[in-house]
Amino acid sequence: MNGPPQSPDDGYERLGGQARIPGPRGAADDLDPAHAPRSLPPMPPAPVPPAPMPRPPAELPPVAPPPPSHAVLKSLLGAWALAACSAEETQAVEDHLTECAPCAEEALRLRDAVGLLHPEENLDLKPLLRSRVLEDCLGKRPARIPVPVWASPYDTETARLDALLQDFGDSEWHTPVRLKWFEEERRRSQRTTVAGVIGHLLTVDGLIASALGLDDPLGPDAPKGGPTVRTEHFWGASVNPITRQVRDPWREQGHTLVRTVSFAGRGVAELAVDYGGFALPLGDAFLERAFECWVHAWDIAEAVDYPYEPPAGPHLHGMIDLAARLLPGALAQRRRAGLAAPARGLVAAGAPGRTLHLEIEGSGGGGWDIALDSPGAKPSPDRTVAEIALDGIEFCQLAAGHISPEEAAVGQHGDREAIRDVLFAAASLSRL
């Protein structure tokens, strides 16, 4: 069957009734606009693939920030003075102040200025105002009833020791203390505690209390004898170890002694105080008690590893003077016991005799002439046969029995035998 007839405009070229391949199509601009093919809508652009995410960089070790510059640190000085800096800023500023003198001076001025800034205060009186006013008044107005000059060293040394004891806890009161003294030709010692030392001072101070007609701390059954007998009785009478409770009676007794002699008048200084084997005038007894209080305070401070200063120069001079005045009697006593060389030239009382010159250096020092052959002889510079030079503190250690005559650093010149006898006599002044 033949197909349907083709219209002449179907685009096929016929040849002998047969369809042929269509010829080439004319250009678009050659066609009639009415028959131009419609343009297709533009294709949308191809989507752009997203850019790959960048890889995170590898972790690097932290780098310390550079230190602040001088200008920055200087600008922080005001905040530092007001304590308004952070911890890091405070550390940086303080490190800088150790290296920069101008900034350190400026920081000091700013800190002083900050001290002038204070919050508004109320009108209530400060709690310490009364004590400050009283202290100032007492410093300007002499006491109506002053402490005698010869009792002032005792008053001062007991107050210093009491201040040392004030903050002691129970453990410090039981700290071991070794008391040392020199007897005959040997050094002796006794082990006790801090509380035991205060008990020893309490009982020996009781000798002065008894001489003044005050109560004896050992009571009516106090043994007859000197410091050693009384101390051993006190230590042995207590079943339990001595505790910090001993401080109150010791302190109260000291205050009572000073108050009593202050009201007693001048003549009381000559009242005799019996020490058992010898007696001392009350004025010398107070000096002797001041010396022992200082020595044993030194023992206590050494036991608890605490620094302790020597007495004031005038007080130390009085203690050394007492020891120097006691040397002729101590030398005669050792001579009677066969512990010193015999006298070489006995003279009548008050007559010039052989003399040793004792020179004490340092605070409280001075020069003393010591009669060698008789306590009643008068020392004479013209009859000086030997000289000794000692530091004041070392002489006190020797007189307290804390060092032996062989250990004392002595400058010496002249009669060796006289020098030895005087040094051993100084050590024999010590006792428990």
Side-chain angles (χ1 to χ4, degrees):
M1 289 184 65
N2 296 328
Q6 301 290 330
S7 61
D9 55 354
D10 57 3
Y12 286 93
E13 187 178 358
R14 294 185 175 276
L15 181 61
Q18 298 294 326
R20 301 181 62 183
I21 298 173
R25 182 177 295 174
D29 53 351
D30 293 337
L31 297 177
D32 182 42
H35 299 280
R38 285 188 252 173
S39 61
L40 295 175
M43 294 294 292
V48 179
M53 294 293 293
R55 289 186 178 182
E59 293 186 3
L60 298 176
V63 179
S69 65
H70 171 84
V72 172
L73 293 172
K74 185 176 181 180
S75 67
L76 290 174
L77 291 180
W80 173 84
L82 292 169
C85 289
S86 65
E88 294 78 12
E89 291 173 338
T90 300
Q91 184 64 45
V93 170
E94 292 178 352
D95 290 345
H96 180 65
L97 295 182
T98 63
E99 302 173 354
C100 181
C103 286
E105 293 176 0
E106 179 66 14
L108 185 60
R109 286 194 293 269
L110 291 172
R111 181 59 62 87
D112 291 340
V114 169
L116 300 175
L117 304 175
H118 54 81
E120 183 177 356
E121 298 180 354
N122 58 34
L123 298 179
D124 294 335
L125 296 179
K126 294 183 178 180
L128 296 179
L129 180 61
R130 180 177 181 274
S131 61
R132 290 177 180 174
V133 172
L134 288 175
E135 181 180 3
D136 185 65
C137 293
L138 291 174
K140 294 179 179 179
R141 178 182 62 83
R144 183 171 60 88
I145 302 176
V147 175
V149 174
W150 44 266
S152 182
Y154 173 81
D155 188 29
T156 301
E157 292 308 315
T158 53
R160 290 208 305 148
L161 175 54
D162 188 50
L164 173 66
L165 301 174
Q166 184 174 1
D167 296 329
F168 276 19
D170 291 336
S171 59
E172 284 88 0
W173 279 94
H174 295 289
T175 301
V177 180
R178 186 164 293 278
L179 302 181
K180 294 170 283 189
W181 71 97
F182 192 83
E183 187 174 324
E184 295 181 351
E185 302 293 314
R186 293 184 299 168
R187 293 178 62 180
R188 298 185 179 274
S189 65
Q190 174 69 48
R191 188 177 183 274
T192 183
T193 63
V194 171
V197 174
I198 302 304
H200 167 60
L201 293 175
L202 170 71
T203 58
V204 183
D205 286 353
L207 293 172
I208 297 181
S210 298
L212 291 172
L214 303 173
D215 292 338
D216 192 319
L218 296 182
D221 299 328
K224 301 296 181 181
T228 301
V229 174
R230 291 173 60 86
T231 299
E232 291 176 347
H233 174 81
F234 179 79
W235 285 347
S238 179
V239 177
N240 299 317
I242 305 170
T243 66
R244 65 187 308 161
Q245 303 302 323
V246 74
R247 178 191 173 201
D248 290 339
W250 166 75
R251 180 175 55 184
E252 183 58 33
Q253 178 178 252
H255 292 169
T256 303
L257 293 178
V258 174
R259 185 168 55 249
T260 301
V261 298
S262 298
F263 281 92
R266 296 181 180 179
V268 73
E270 302 303 322
L271 181 68
V273 178
D274 184 12
Y275 277 77
F278 62 96
L280 287 176
L282 186 65
D284 287 347
F286 265 86
L287 272 176
E288 186 272 335
R289 300 312 304 143
F291 176 76
E292 185 167 2
C293 183
W294 163 50
V295 169
H296 289 325
W298 196 351
D299 292 334
I300 292 172
E302 187 177 36
V304 298
D305 195 21
Y306 192 86
Y308 202 79
E309 297 295 324
H315 293 175
L316 186 61
H317 179 84
M319 298 174 193
I320 295 173
D321 177 72
L322 173 62
R325 289 187 283 112
L326 294 176
L327 280 177
L331 182 57
Q333 186 175 0
R334 286 180 54 83
R335 187 175 286 124
R336 286 192 296 270
L339 300 175
R344 294 188 181 180
L346 291 176
V347 297
R354 285 195 319 142
T355 302
L356 178 140
H357 181 73
L358 174 64
E359 187 69 26
I360 301 299
E361 301 172 346
S363 178
W368 288 266
D369 289 328
I370 312 299
L372 292 173
D373 293 326
S374 173
K378 180 181 179 180
S380 172
D382 296 335
R383 300 197 60 182
T384 300
V385 298
E387 296 179 0
I388 295 176
L390 271 162
D391 175 74
I393 302 301
E394 191 158 17
F395 177 76
C396 291
Q397 288 182 311
L398 176 64
H402 281 50
I403 60 174
S404 66
E406 293 88 352
E407 295 171 332
V410 182
Q412 50 187 279
H413 173 73
D415 191 329
R416 300 293 182 184
E417 186 179 64
I419 292 171
R420 180 187 183 279
D421 287 344
V422 169
L423 291 176
F424 273 83
S428 71
L429 294 175
S430 64
R431 63 176 184 277
L432 174 62

